[in-house]
Every structure is written in structure tokens, then in C-alpha cells.
Amino acid sequence: MNELTLEQEFQAKIDADLKIEPKDWMPDAYRKTLIRQISQHAHSEIVGMLPEGNWISRAPSLRRKVALLAKVQDEGGHGLYLYSATETLGIDREELIEDLHSGKAKYSSIFNYPSLNWADIGAIGWLVDGAAIMNQVALCRTSYGPYARAMVRICKEESFHQRQGYEILLSLCRGTEVQKRMAQDAINRWWWPSLMMFGPPDTDSPNSEQSMKWRIKRQSNDELRQRFIDMTVPQADFLGLVVPDPQLKWNEERGHYDFGPIDWEEFRNVLKGNGQCNRQRMKDRIKAHEEGAWVREAAMAYAEKRSRRQEQVSSVA
Ligand code: 3HC
């Protein structure tokens, strides 16, 4: 069958909302886009463990420590699901991790901002995981089977992440004046970078059009960003926090919040590696990977020993 027919059959499956599975024929460009997006999603999960990991030993109570420990552990698991989903596309995890460490691959810009105090852990859970959920719920309907299925499980865990963050801020907002000021300072610093998590404006998004055609992306960057703002502003009101956007205003006619301009220069700068924590994050990530080498070697040695023993058993059986 020629390439054109294969492409037409492939697109017909996409248009019929059928899932594409690893063994199905797919255009190289579709495969490449998935490897790019899913691996960068995985990198974001793993690098995202760093800003919060710093606060596990500084949590204000055992209960907060246990919740944060569980969340950071979940993020590691999300990274592993997503690396596994990427490997179904015929690429090795080592190559993906090498691309992250060399700076060739991206991870979400949000993780290049510093977590300065405990209120930041609340803001990260509420805003960063809240934004991630908005994006990931849409991805539960993405056209690539393994990615969509990974999303279903990840979203279940993300809702706990968002809730524990919101509860941290609720406790601070019902606390002393100093604690309330900490919560307001945290939202002042995390609000705009969280909006950038949805990607550049649709008019400046080189991948969106094709990704929407292939139903990898089910809603556009701007659509999900707007939905996140509409959902989150009432939650900020309930906390008694002021969203740091003087132009934020409910627009009855649109049925959405109007909001001020996002600093895309800052976004591009962070992506270029000039964020507050880019260098530190990569240094910590590479150090953790190197220090974990013995665990990977031991696991591989054990797996090889087991498969040799199974071969011996089956050869004498
Ligand atoms: N940070 C870093 N890079 C970003 C970015 C961000 N916030 N937003 C966009 N980019 C990059 C894109 O990767 C692309 O670069 P590339 O072509 O070299 O990969 C470029 O900017 C142009 O953006 P596009 O909109 O054209 O790119 P996409 O169509 O890929 O859309 C996306 C960007 C919406 C992030 C999409 O890739 C996506 O939905 N990814 C899956 C979700 C994801 O990765 N989320 C990251 C957060 S996960 C997380 O927060 C974990 C949670 O547990 C806390």
C-alpha cells in the first residue's frame, strides 16, 4: 500500500476518534511529535520533584510532610509512566534522559522558579498542579493510546496534589497576618508563571495546528489557559487572596474573565535557560541521576540473572 493511502487511512482513524496504538502505522512526523511532547512531559514531572523536594524536611508538621512526600513520590511515578509511554514509540529512555541533561529537550518553564517558603508549596499544589490538571484532563482524550491511558491514572493523583496545596493556603489565609501575607506573596510570584504552563498564545504556537489535526492536542493553549483562569479566580476569592492582575475582570458578555497581558519575553527568556533556577535544577537533576546509577545497575543485574535462571529452567523442562 503506498504512503498516501496509509496517511489517508491513518487520518480517517484520527477523525473517527479511534486510538492509535504502538503497533499501528503512523506518519514519522506524528511519532516525532509524540516523542517530543510525551518525553518533555516526563522530564517536567521529574524536574518538578526538585522545588518541592527541598521542603520535605522543612514541612511544618508530620501531616504536611507525609502529604508532600506522597505528592513528590507520585510525580516520580508520573515521570516513569510517561517515559514508558514514550518508549512504546521506539526510543530508549537513556536517549531521552541524555537529551534532558544536555539541554536539548525542554521541561516545563514553571520549575525554573524558586520555592522560597512553605506558602510556595501551597501555591505550587494549587496553581501548578491545578494548571497541569486542566491540561492533562484534555490529554485523557489524546489520539495516542498509551499517552491517553497514562493520563487517566495521573489525573486521579493530581487532584489530591491540587487539594493539598489549596488546603495549605487555606490554613495560612486563616492564620496570622504574617501567614496571610506569605500566602499573598506566593500567589504574586506563582500566578503569571502558572499561566505560561499552557504554552505560548495560539497565534505563536508552531506545533498547535498540526497537533490539533492529529488530535494529540484536543484544546488549544489559549482555551485551556482561559478555562484555568475562570476556575481559579473564584478559588482565590474564597481564600481572600488578590490575583496579581489589575486588568482581571469578569466579562458577562464573554462568560469569561478578561485578564492582562502575559510577559512572553520572560517566558522566552526562561526557555532560553535564563530563569532563576535553570542551572541549579539541571545540576541537581544530573547529580541525582549519577548517584542513582547503582540502583539501575543492580536492578538490571537482577533482571538479567532472573532471565538466565528462567532460560535454564525452561531448557531442562
Ligand atoms: N515550558 C517549557 N516549554 C514550553 C512551555 C512551557 N510551559 N510551553 C510551550 N513550550 C515549548 C514547546 O515544547 C515548544 O517547544 P518544542 O517544539 O521545542 O517542544 C514551544 O514551546 C512552542 O510551544 P507549542 O505550543 O507550539 O508546543 P506544544 O504544541 O507542544 O504545546 C504544551 C505545549 C501545551 C506544553 C504541550 O506540549 C503539552 O500539553 N504537553 C503535555 C503537558 C506538559 O508537558 N505539562 C508540563 C507540566 S507537567 C507538570 O506540571 C507536572 C505536575 O505534576 C506538576
Side-chain angles (χ1 to χ4, degrees):
M1 211 184 288
N2 68 29
E3 188 86 2
L4 184 64
T5 321
L6 286 166
E7 293 248 2
Q8 285 162 344
E9 282 195 2
F10 169 81
Q11 193 58 49
K13 278 175 85 172
I14 296 280
D15 296 343
D17 242 352
L18 296 174
K19 287 286 180 259
I20 305 298
E21 296 299 336
K23 289 202 169 42
D24 294 343
W25 184 90
M26 61 183 83
D28 275 348
Y30 177 82
R31 184 188 302 276
K32 278 201 190 85
T33 299
L34 286 172
I35 288 173
R36 172 185 65 82
Q37 176 165 332
I38 307 174
S39 62
Q40 292 184 159
H41 195 161
H43 297 331
S44 304
E45 300 280 1
I46 300 297
V47 175
M49 295 167 76
L50 294 167
E52 293 175 303
N54 280 337
W55 285 89
I56 290 172
S57 56
R58 303 183 176 98
S61 72
L62 186 58
R63 179 170 169 269
R64 292 292 185 210
K65 183 196 282 268
V66 167
L68 185 57
L69 209 47
K71 175 180 189 309
V72 172
Q73 206 169 331
D74 282 349
E75 308 299 10
H78 298 173
L80 298 185
Y81 296 147
L82 291 165
Y83 284 130
S84 301
T86 318
E87 285 180 313
T88 64
L89 292 154
I91 187 164
D92 260 351
R93 185 172 311 208
E94 288 67 34
E95 191 180 337
L96 301 173
I97 290 167
E98 187 36 50
D99 286 351
L100 171 67
H101 293 173
S102 65
K104 196 170 148 224
K106 295 183 169 74
Y107 57 91
S108 192
S109 52
I110 191 75
F111 297 121
N112 290 310
Y113 290 81
S115 49
L116 299 178
N117 58 50
W118 183 251
D120 287 42
I121 299 304
I124 291 173
W126 173 43
L127 294 176
V128 175
D129 287 72
I133 292 173
M134 194 56 79
N135 167 286
Q136 291 170 163
V137 164
L139 283 169
C140 290
R141 295 187 300 119
T142 191
S143 57
Y144 187 56
Y147 195 22
R149 292 188 289 271
M151 281 299 108
V152 172
R153 168 131 185 211
I154 286 177
C155 285
K156 287 195 183 109
E157 291 171 345
E158 292 289 7
S159 46
F160 143 66
H161 299 173
Q162 198 237 14
R163 199 127 344 116
Q164 62 88 41
Y166 193 71
E167 202 226 0
I168 288 173
L169 290 179
L170 193 60
S171 313
L172 292 171
C173 291
R174 290 179 174 168
T176 63
E177 275 315 304
V178 171
Q179 288 173 324
K180 279 184 206 147
R181 280 202 300 276
M182 274 176 76
Q184 183 60 56
D185 167 59
I187 182 178
N188 292 346
R189 285 182 287 108
W190 288 93
W191 175 258
W192 292 104
S194 299
L195 300 190
M196 296 174 193
M197 286 176 67
F198 293 96
D202 296 345
T203 48
D204 187 23
S205 162
N207 300 301
S208 281
E209 193 190 341
Q210 184 59 64
S211 283
M212 298 280 278
K213 258 198 211 117
W214 281 331
R215 296 193 185 184
I216 293 174
K217 212 177 236 186
R218 301 307 300 256
Q219 264 119 349
S220 77
N221 298 359
D222 288 334
E223 259 178 277
L224 290 176
R225 192 179 354 260
Q226 180 69 69
R227 187 174 293 181
F228 172 72
I229 293 168
D230 293 348
M231 183 196 75
T232 309
V233 171
Q235 294 171 355
D237 294 346
F238 183 79
L239 287 172
L241 294 176
V242 176
V243 172
D245 175 0
Q247 294 183 43
L248 186 77
K249 189 169 168 304
W250 179 252
N251 181 322
E252 199 51 50
E253 212 180 299
R254 286 180 63 227
H256 295 293
Y257 281 93
D258 292 336
F259 56 96
I262 295 173
D263 182 349
W264 293 114
E265 201 37 50
E266 176 185 323
F267 172 74
R268 279 187 289 274
N269 224 356
V270 174
L271 260 58
K272 270 191 244 152
N274 306 322
Q276 298 174 58
C277 300
N278 296 55
R279 276 176 284 284
Q280 187 61 43
R281 296 289 184 245
M282 267 311 100
K283 190 165 150 267
D284 293 347
R285 177 77 288 275
I286 291 169
K287 180 167 176 285
H289 188 73
E290 285 164 356
E291 287 175 353
W294 69 272
V295 177
R296 293 191 295 278
E297 283 151 23
M300 296 298 277
Y302 174 71
E304 274 153 30
K305 193 168 160 223
R306 249 183 64 160
S307 68
R308 270 202 306 278
R309 186 169 316 133
Q310 274 157 354
E311 273 161 29
Q312 280 161 2
V313 165
S314 50
S315 65
V316 296

